[in-house]
Amino acid sequence: MNHKEIRPVSLEQFWSLLAQHENDDTAGSRDRNVVVMRPDVAVIRHAMPKAVLTLFSQPIRLREMRVIIIKRGWAEPVINLLPRRCEAGDLIFVSSNSTAQVSRVSPEVAIEGFSVSDELFRLAIAAFVPKAFDGHVRDFCLHTEPQERRFLSGLIRLLYRATLDANHETHVLRNLSAAFFWYVNNMWEKRQQDETRVQTHDARLFTDFISLVNEHVRRRPTISFYASKLCLSPRYLSTLIKQVSGKSAKQWTDEALLTAIRVDLKHTDKAMKQIADELNFPNTSFFCKYFKRMTGLTPLAYRNGETTAAQTPETV
């Protein structure tokens, strides 16, 4: 493996992990995971709590984009640093190369969704890329109305059948994928218009700050760097972030850094020195002490699967 690349969770790994929980939680077809995939597409008709927690119990980097709908129950994921509370009927989009983790789910949670490779997405969309998926938005969550959920579930059923049936040509999947993404884009654009009218200037600056932190985390820049990018003074930015989020700017940058470290420890075989060097720590000892101070575990203990209570996802 190329040590300079983080090994993300691919569709193949996604399928393999779900297959381990094919009969999840209770007996009966209603509570079985129903998933089908090809090399460039995966469709989830139904996935249960154990499968969700198995896939996302630790921070992972997603190679392909994903759209997930909560069918019932609720989940509390952390996507690109930001914690969310997602209820039944919520749709979640996560772009490729994003980080994700699930901290808690309800016992009855069930999801459906759709994931495609960037290559299939480009083939499906062709020259006209929907604004929601043009790369400037890394993730979003929106609540769907009943008629929207019915339409999306219908598309997911068609995608499932087309993926399952080897006789279907690739262009069938392309056209169904395009319909799915354009429909979600139209939903997103309508809600963006509504949100723009009510979102404050400070809230928009906070969103921009989080995007920059996700983009530049591996360089470990200072608060002054982010302030300069946003055309603000460091003092004003620090005050604004605290007022909007209740957490300091340093807490947000620390969370981003810890997520990057966890991904490297869990999904690569990089040596500690290499991780420390790539994340601009002065030396390996400083890196190990930082991780231990922030998490209560040494990097090696975390890599070997030890967890603290705060790191263990749960159903409630």
Side-chain angles (χ1 to χ4, degrees):
M1 185 187 73
N2 185 341
H3 286 279
K4 293 186 178 180
E5 295 180 354
I6 293 175
R7 183 171 59 224
V9 173
S10 65
L11 288 176
E12 291 85 355
Q13 292 167 308
F14 192 82
W15 166 262
S16 176
L17 288 168
L18 275 177
Q20 296 173 20
H21 296 274
E22 185 175 0
N23 294 287
D24 203 1
D25 296 299
T26 59
S29 60
R30 179 175 179 270
D31 289 321
R32 293 179 68 245
N33 294 310
V34 183
V35 185
V36 66
M37 70 165 291
R38 292 185 182 183
D40 54 358
V41 60
V43 185
I44 304 171
R45 287 286 310 282
H46 196 77
M48 297 293 291
K50 285 182 182 177
V52 173
L53 291 178
T54 296
L55 289 168
F56 296 102
S57 61
Q58 301 293 340
I60 59 176
R61 183 166 296 167
L62 304 176
R63 179 180 296 164
E64 298 87 5
M65 65 177 66
R66 284 161 170 76
V67 179
I68 299 295
I69 300 171
I70 308 290
K71 296 171 65 175
R72 66 172 189 254
W74 54 264
E76 293 183 350
V78 179
I79 303 170
N80 293 320
L81 289 187
L82 294 178
R84 299 180 183 273
R85 168 84 177 200
C86 301
E87 307 279 352
D90 285 353
L91 178 148
I92 308 153
F93 164 71
V94 185
S95 66
S96 58
N97 206 36
S98 289
T99 56
Q101 182 180 9
V102 175
S103 55
R104 298 199 307 165
V105 298
S106 62
E108 75 280 12
V109 73
I111 66 172
E112 61 182 346
F114 176 52
S115 178
V116 297
S117 66
D118 287 348
E119 181 180 1
L120 179 59
F121 175 78
R122 288 191 295 269
L123 289 172
I125 298 302
F128 303 100
V129 180
K131 188 178 296 185
F133 307 110
D134 65 4
H136 81 285
V137 177
R138 297 194 67 184
D139 58 80
F140 58 79
C141 178
L142 53 86
H143 189 72
T144 60
E145 299 297 331
Q147 67 273 20
E148 293 171 331
R149 288 198 293 277
R150 287 193 293 270
F151 189 86
L152 288 168
S153 291
L155 282 174
I156 289 173
R157 284 194 296 272
L158 290 173
L159 283 161
Y160 178 86
R161 291 169 184 166
T163 306
L164 188 64
D165 188 347
N167 293 322
H168 283 300
E169 299 294 335
T170 303
H171 70 268
V172 175
L173 277 175
R174 290 182 192 173
N175 290 332
L176 287 172
S177 300
F180 185 92
F181 284 114
W182 275 111
Y183 189 80
V184 173
N185 178 77
N186 291 343
M187 294 167 54
W188 177 82
E189 285 194 334
K190 180 181 183 302
R191 287 157 177 79
Q192 280 295 107
Q193 293 170 3
D194 296 338
E195 289 179 8
T196 300
R197 287 194 289 268
V198 300
Q199 190 179 36
T200 66
H201 175 67
D202 287 355
R204 286 194 293 272
L205 284 173
F206 171 71
T207 300
D208 292 342
F209 167 73
I210 293 298
S211 295
L212 287 170
V213 170
N214 278 299
E215 181 180 354
H216 297 286
V217 58
R218 301 188 74 83
R219 294 172 50 194
R220 296 184 65 208
T222 63
I223 298 302
S224 295
F225 168 86
Y226 296 116
S228 175
K229 287 285 187 181
L230 296 170
C231 300
L232 303 171
S233 71
R235 180 185 294 273
Y236 182 80
L237 176 62
S238 297
T239 301
L240 181 149
I241 297 303
K242 182 70 173 180
Q243 288 177 344
V244 172
S245 69
K247 295 163 64 173
S248 69
K250 186 177 186 308
Q251 284 176 297
W252 284 111
T253 57
D254 278 337
E255 284 191 24
L257 181 58
L258 287 170
T259 297
I261 294 170
R262 287 177 175 133
V263 170
D264 277 359
L265 289 172
K266 281 293 185 181
H267 302 293
T268 78
D269 56 4
K270 294 177 182 177
M272 299 300 169
K273 184 180 186 307
Q274 183 180 356
I275 297 175
D277 288 345
E278 290 181 358
L279 292 173
N280 289 313
F281 283 92
N283 52 59
T284 305
S285 175
F286 190 92
F287 162 73
C288 292
K289 288 177 181 177
Y290 171 83
F291 190 81
K292 176 70 180 291
R293 174 167 56 85
M294 298 298 292
T295 68
L297 292 171
T298 66
L300 183 60
Y302 180 81
R303 171 169 273 175
N304 289 338
E306 295 182 29
T307 60
T308 63
Q311 294 172 314
T312 305
E314 58 182 309
T315 58
V316 295

